[in-house]
Amino acid sequence: MSKGFLLVISGPSGCGKGTLCKKILERNEKLIFSVSATTRMPRRGETNGINYFFINKERFSNMIEEKEFLEYANVHGNLYGTPKQFVLEQVEKGEIVILEIDVQGALQVKEAYPEAVFVFLLPPSMSELKNRIKKRGTESEKDIDIRLKNAFEELKFIDEYDYIVINDELIEAVEKTEAIIIAEKLKVRRLKNILEKIID
Ligand code: ADP
Ligand code: 5GP
C-alpha cells in the first residue's frame, strides 16, 4: 500500500482555515484532521478532543520534553502543537492528514517531512480579513491587532509553500483545495506501486 501524506494548511488568523477545513472534511469522509494541543482557552462552541486538546502549560512542556510533538510554536501568545504519533501512523496507513497550523509550525514540518504538501490560504484582502476576525467575535480589540500584525509577518514566508488558495467564495476555495489533493495523489512518486498492479 502506498503511504498517505500530510496536507499543511496555513494562513493568517481569520482568513477561514477552520471554516474551509470543516467543509472539506464534511465532503471528504476519508480525510483525517490532526487535532492539535493548545494552551489557549476554549472558545464558545469548541469541544476538547474535536477542535483542540485543551491542556495547561505544564502538560504542554511535558509533551515537548517527551518529544511527543511533530512541531509546536507560540502563536499569538499561546502554545500550539501537533501530536506526532497519531499523524505519522495515519500517513503510514495511507491516509491524508490535514494539519491546520501556523507558518512557524509549517516550516518545522517542511524540515522534517519535505514530502508534505503546503497550502497557504489567503483572504481576498486584508480589510476583509479584519472584517472576518471582527465578525467571528472571539477576540478582543488588542488580540485582533496582534493577529493582523502577525498576518503581515506570516505573508513573508509564502514562498515556502506549494500552493496559494484565496478564500473569497468559500465553495471555490474548497474545490481548489480538493483539486490540490487529487493532483497530489496522482504524483508519480506516490503511485510507484501501481505498476505492480497493472503489469499482470
Ligand atoms: P481561521 O480558522 O483562519 O482563523 P475562521 O474559519 O474562524 O478563520 O473564519 C473567520 C471568520 O470568517 C468566521 O466568522 C467565518 O465564518 C468567516 N469566513 C470564513 N470563510 C469565509 C468566506 N469565504 N467568506 C466570508 N466569511 C468567511
Ligand atoms: P486559533 O487560536 O485561532 O484556533 O489558532 C491560532 C493559530 O494557531 C492559527 O494560525 C492556527 O493555524 C495555529 N495553530 C493551530 N494548531 C496549531 C499547531 O498544532 N501548531 C502550530 N504551529 N500552529 C497551530
Side-chain angles (χ1 to χ4, degrees):
M1 192 215 302
S2 48
K3 272 181 35 164
F5 57 89
L6 302 174
L7 180 77
V8 174
I9 301 186
S10 306
S13 177
C15 73
K17 298 179 299 296
T19 309
L20 175 112
C21 288
K22 189 161 175 270
K23 200 71 189 161
I24 290 178
L25 290 159
E26 276 168 18
R27 285 163 52 115
N28 302 270
E29 283 178 3
K30 262 194 72 56
L31 295 179
I32 291 176
F33 184 70
S34 159
V35 179
S36 298
T38 184
T39 59
R40 164 166 84 60
M41 296 301 285
R43 292 183 187 133
R44 208 176 331 113
E46 284 184 330
T47 309
N48 189 33
I50 294 190
N51 305 94
Y52 285 104
F53 295 108
F54 295 100
I55 61 176
N56 61 26
K57 285 184 187 152
E58 197 185 341
R59 173 88 185 98
F60 202 99
S61 303
N62 271 336
M63 288 180 75
I64 295 175
E65 267 171 40
E66 298 295 324
K67 304 210 181 325
E68 289 181 38
F69 287 124
L70 183 71
E71 60 70 38
Y72 65 91
N74 185 322
V75 192
H76 319 308
N78 292 301
L79 294 165
Y80 296 81
T82 304
K84 180 159 64 181
Q85 190 184 351
F86 173 76
V87 294
L88 296 187
E89 275 173 12
Q90 297 304 318
V91 168
E92 274 309 312
K93 283 202 288 186
E95 307 296 350
I96 298 168
V97 185
I98 299 184
L99 270 57
E100 195 226 294
I101 61 176
D102 90 312
V103 168
Q104 306 169 73
L107 295 178
Q108 294 171 44
V109 174
K110 195 171 177 187
E111 187 75 26
Y113 300 92
E115 68 279 17
V117 180
F118 297 86
V119 177
F120 204 99
L121 192 67
L122 283 175
S125 67
M126 293 312 260
S127 47
E128 170 63 9
L129 181 67
K130 190 169 184 180
N131 290 340
R132 286 186 189 173
I133 305 181
K134 279 192 160 170
K135 197 184 85 188
R136 190 171 63 190
T138 49
E139 267 77 35
S140 65
E141 273 297 322
K142 187 171 142 258
D143 282 342
I144 292 176
D145 284 344
I146 296 176
R147 280 163 193 257
L148 286 172
K149 208 167 121 265
N150 287 349
F152 284 100
E153 287 304 308
E154 286 164 353
L155 292 181
K156 294 180 185 162
F157 293 92
I158 205 158
D159 285 345
E160 300 290 335
Y161 286 72
D162 301 309
Y163 299 96
I164 289 175
V165 173
I166 296 180
N167 181 20
D168 192 351
E169 281 301 321
L170 178 65
I171 203 66
E172 282 179 25
V174 166
E175 284 170 359
K176 283 177 185 163
T177 310
E178 289 171 347
I180 292 167
I181 295 172
I182 293 170
E184 286 291 332
K185 278 185 181 171
L186 299 176
K187 285 255 168 88
V188 171
R189 67 184 147 91
R190 298 197 207 281
L191 284 176
K192 286 259 164 69
N193 300 345
I194 206 98
L195 292 183
E196 291 161 18
K197 287 190 192 146
I198 65 153
I199 301 173
D200 50 8

